[in-house]
Amino acid sequence: QVQLVESGGGLVRAGGSLRLSCAGSGRTTSNYGMGWFRQAPGKEREFVATIASTGTEKFYSDSVKGRFTISRDKALNTLYLHMNNLKPEDTAQYYCATSKFAGYSYFAGDYTVWGQGTQVTVYS
């Protein structure tokens, strides 16, 4: 069973940047699609970005497209989320997850393993 641990969250001014990391251990994640989701207080968990096992096929939510970039390093068994031009509405707990499929997916039900989350807070 793979375990996922997120890091890199923090407090940042609007317009700033952060890079989230998601380190996998216990088993390789390289054969599976992976994704980032987020949940703000009082709101449902929402999809942010996803990447296929190939590392080249990616898909983003409209709210982050053009500002966030998802990537993965298979050698390090690590997933990244580069976040630029952050906005207060990006404030949330961010979770990484591993899909049961090799392709990418924006459907939370396709993901079987989740990290514990890392908090991102953007102030204006």
Side-chain angles (χ1 to χ4, degrees):
Q1 178 77 332
V2 65
Q3 292 84 41
L4 301 174
V5 178
E6 302 95 334
S7 61
L11 181 66
V12 62
R13 184 189 295 268
S17 300
L18 282 175
R19 187 186 77 164
L20 304 184
S21 299
C22 171
S25 63
R27 183 170 61 87
T28 181
T29 59
S30 62
N31 297 324
Y32 302 94
M34 297 190 73
W36 288 97
F37 291 76
R38 67 187 181 186
Q39 187 168 20
K43 295 188 176 181
E44 293 187 353
R45 184 173 297 187
E46 66 170 349
F47 163 75
V48 175
T50 178
I51 186 168
S53 63
T54 60
T56 56
E57 299 165 290
K58 306 173 185 180
F59 187 78
Y60 299 91
S61 68
D62 288 343
S63 61
V64 307
K65 193 178 301 181
R67 299 188 298 121
F68 291 11
T69 301
I70 189 171
S71 63
R72 66 191 302 170
D73 186 326
K74 290 187 176 184
L76 295 179
N77 210 26
T78 300
L79 178 73
Y80 302 100
L81 187 67
H82 302 255
M83 306 186 294
N84 296 320
N85 190 21
L86 283 160
K87 305 176 180 181
E89 51 264 42
D90 294 318
T91 295
Q93 185 85 347
Y94 283 70
Y95 300 88
C96 66
T98 298
S99 171
K100 53 189 174 185
F101 303 117
Y104 67 70
S105 173
Y106 52 79
F107 178 52
D110 286 340
Y111 291 83
T112 56
V113 180
W114 295 78
Q116 84 291 345
T118 185
Q119 178 67 36
V120 172
T121 303
V122 185
Y123 64 94
S124 57

